[in-house]
Amino acid sequence: LSQFNIVVTGDFASSSDVEGRTVVGGNLSQGATFFNNPGAAAASAFRALTVYGDVTTGGPLNVNNGGGAAIGGSSSAIINDN
């Protein structure tokens, strides 16, 4: 678990920045900026944002530092991979 900043087994919604990797077991329903400051992040095979459910946000998601996103369900979100 040390490779993640946030681990959620259910649904997740946040408008706050997330410094490291995030894994969501359910749906993601609000935009934020992910992998904002991964400097000390442990090595991982996971992307910066991993969502096993659907992604439905009112605004774009920002995934910084080339972290990438993996979405298991459907996505209607704009994902900016910076």
Side-chain angles (χ1 to χ4, degrees):
L1 291 175
S2 65
Q3 61 190 314
F4 299 106
N5 186 216
I6 294 178
V7 175
V8 180
T9 58
D11 296 339
F12 180 67
S14 177
S15 59
S16 299
D17 292 349
V18 178
E19 299 295 314
R21 284 183 197 85
T22 301
V23 63
V24 178
N27 300 322
L28 177 65
S29 61
Q30 189 170 348
T33 299
F34 296 91
F35 216 51
N36 202 33
N37 187 17
S44 178
F46 283 86
R47 307 298 294 173
L49 175 62
T50 302
V51 180
Y52 287 94
D54 299 332
V55 177
T56 54
T57 64
L61 296 174
N62 295 306
V63 180
N64 291 342
N65 297 294
I71 312 298
S74 64
S75 176
S76 62
I78 296 169
I79 300 174
N80 298 316
D81 192 13
N82 303 317

